[in-house]
Amino acid sequence: MHIPPIVSHEDWDAAREQLLTKEKSVMRAHDALAAERRRMPWMAVDKAYEFIGPNGKASLLDLFEGRPQLILYRAFFEPGVFGWPDHACRGCSMGADQVSNLTHLNARDTTLVYASRAPQADIARLKERMGWRMPWVTITDSFDADFGVDEWHGHNVFFRDGDRIYRTYFINSRGDEAMGTIWYYLDATPLGRQELWEV
């Protein structure tokens, strides 16, 4: 490891202030990007998709659990994935470990659901062993192929207006790395953080 210069308290404060200016610039850029995301056009979802959850069959509409926003993460836990049947994909597992308490997300009208092709018995076993508490359903049809997550993980964001469903955004690859906290989930949704300062 390269050791940087060792400086006085005053010089350290000055260096930190200089870096903080850049950090604030990145934060403002992130806020502006989230605002632009909220204004993106939507795509109507006209096809009926069916999943299997702990209580049996469920439609895409059912996954919203009555809330207007749904974030559906495609996790790779199924035959053919490295580690099956004992483990899910390493990256998906790391992401699952980062998922925070969903109470605050739900309070802001948003539901998070994980989806894989593994049977429910295997999902329940994995969740119990790992201590994961997020809802997790089984994909039964072409949902993953239709929404760009048949070969790689990703978060699809949907909005519900009555019984009409719209796809509003999609995050995958390294974009998934930031997911797990309530704020980053909300930043991906059309309603955003629902704070007064948002534009």
Side-chain angles (χ1 to χ4, degrees), residues 2 8 62 78 85 99 135 140 144 173:
H2 171 72
S8 67
D62 293 332
E78 58 207 51
V99 174
T140 67
D144 49 0
S173 297

Side-chain angles (χ1 to χ4, degrees), residues 85-135:
D86 299 319
H87 305 283
C89 150
R90 294 181 185 112
C92 296
S93 297
M94 186 180 295
D97 282 338
Q98 296 179 83
V99 174
S100 53
N101 186 310
L102 297 178
T103 302
H104 297 286
L105 189 67
N106 296 161
R108 285 174 171 80
D109 301 315
T110 307
T111 302
L112 173 72
V113 176
Y114 268 46
S116 298
R117 287 198 170 270
Q120 278 298 296
D122 292 302
I123 290 173
R125 174 180 47 79
L126 180 68
K127 285 177 61 180
E128 179 63 29
R129 184 166 61 81
M130 299 300 291
W132 296 333
R133 296 290 172 252
M134 74 287 280

